[in-house]
Amino acid sequence: MSPFTGSARTTDTWQHIRVTREDGIVTVTLARPDKLNALTFEAYADLRDLLAELSRERSARALVLGGEGRGFCSGGDVEEIIGATLAMDTAQLLDFNRMTGQVVRAVRDCPFPVIAAVHGVAAGAGAVLALAADFRVADPSARFAFLFTKVGLSGGDMGAAYLLPRVVGLGHATRLLMLGEPVRAPEAERIGLLSELAEEGRADAASHILARRLAEGPALAHAQTKALLTAELDMPLGAAVEMDAVTQALLMNSADYAEFHAAFTEKRPPKWQGK
């Protein structure tokens, strides 16, 4: 995402998600606890637009996505989305499904690490949002469920059929997407879906500890590592090592690379600038 903007202003208030910022860490909270943070059309759009703005601003060094109340996110709101889609024509349905995919692409394309702090249920679109994150930190009682086939839709929603096999392998992905059965955090950790299994009730705190570690690190190196991880998923080895070589050559001209050498020589911690 280019940092250059035209006339658009930064949004000060988000109506459908809660956003806080502190020392380079952005915390985004899905805040409909009475509905298990079920997503609405507007919440999807706010997430898409927020990630685009943060990507342009270049002030965020890490983002934590969590949910208020008893769970992370129960997916799309049955009444507000599923009910509404029954009355839509094909063009409207395509617009909606493209928007949900844009949210996932924004999570993958933003130049900072995204951490999903999962407690309770992460179901349907909520499970895919967590899947799209760079890190998933969960309570032992958390559970993931890709429920799309349970409502008569394809399990490959919002990029799930692309992302999940690359995280857990084709066999596990087939089981999770085809059957739609929940997988609890201990099994999710075993099959590689989790980055960290926190102590019960500590997923949010553990996510913020990880976010602080990332935010205090070399932001440019993190951004380029994320970009390469995404870009090289479908590249042949020759193209991938060439992209690695070009990226390293650019970063060897960065202030952070010179700062590491200075800090090593002076026997002190590096002062990362993110440039």
Side-chain angles (χ1 to χ4, degrees):
M1 175 69 69
S2 168
F4 299 105
T5 60
S7 303
R9 297 181 179 179
T10 300
T11 306
D12 295 321
T13 303
W14 298 92
Q15 296 182 13
H16 307 285
I17 51 178
R18 189 166 66 246
V19 182
T20 60
R21 309 181 189 215
E22 184 178 0
D23 298 330
I25 298 175
V26 178
T27 302
V28 179
T29 306
L30 305 175
R32 298 182 74 211
D34 56 319
K35 297 280 191 176
L36 268 177
N37 302 315
L39 295 164
T40 62
F41 295 113
E42 296 81 9
Y44 277 118
D46 268 1
L47 286 170
R48 175 200 62 195
D49 296 345
L50 170 67
L51 288 162
E53 287 193 11
L54 292 173
S55 297
R56 289 193 299 266
E57 289 174 10
R58 301 297 170 97
S59 59
R61 288 176 172 255
L63 183 147
V64 177
L65 176 63
E68 182 180 325
R70 296 180 293 117
F72 176 74
C73 176
S74 59
D77 190 291
V78 173
E79 295 176 354
E80 294 196 31
I81 288 186
I82 296 181
T85 55
L86 292 174
M88 290 182 179
D89 61 27
T90 301
Q92 292 171 316
L93 291 168
L94 187 56
D95 284 340
F96 165 63
N97 283 285
R98 281 175 172 162
M99 178 178 69
T100 64
Q102 288 165 359
V103 176
V104 170
R105 287 190 61 181
V107 174
R108 294 305 317 144
D109 292 344
C110 63
F112 45 81
V114 176
I115 305 162
V118 182
H119 72 289
V121 66
V128 183
L129 285 179
L131 172 65
D134 302 289
F135 299 90
R136 285 160 296 281
V137 179
D139 287 350
S141 61
R143 59 194 185 280
F144 299 80
F146 298 87
L147 296 174
F148 306 107
T149 60
K150 297 284 190 180
V151 301
L153 296 177
S154 164
D157 195 48
M158 296 171 62
Y162 177 89
L163 292 170
L164 193 58
R166 289 163 169 80
V167 174
V168 303
L170 181 60
H172 291 304
T174 300
R175 172 172 60 93
L176 296 180
L177 295 182
M178 194 81 72
L179 298 178
E181 294 177 347
V183 54
R184 293 193 174 274
E187 182 187 358
E189 182 186 37
R190 179 180 64 80
I191 65 177
L193 184 56
L194 289 191
S195 310
E196 179 180 345
L197 185 62
E199 296 179 6
E200 188 62 42
R202 296 284 298 171
D204 184 70
S207 295
H208 279 84
I209 290 171
L210 176 57
R212 171 57 49 208
R213 176 181 174 186
L214 291 163
E216 292 176 349
L220 183 59
H222 291 160
Q224 292 308 118
T225 301
K226 177 171 180 173
L228 291 178
L229 284 167
T230 299
E232 293 181 14
L233 282 173
D234 300 308
M235 282 187 181
L237 178 59
V241 295
E242 176 62 17
M243 180 169 279
D244 288 351
V246 171
T247 301
Q248 295 296 54
L250 290 171
L251 290 180
M252 285 174 178
N253 273 315
S254 70
D256 279 351
Y257 186 65
E259 167 61 12
F260 164 77
H261 184 263
F264 181 83
T265 302
E266 297 167 15
K267 295 182 172 55
R268 59 171 175 81
K271 299 176 183 177
W272 304 115
Q273 301 177 51
K275 58 183 182 180

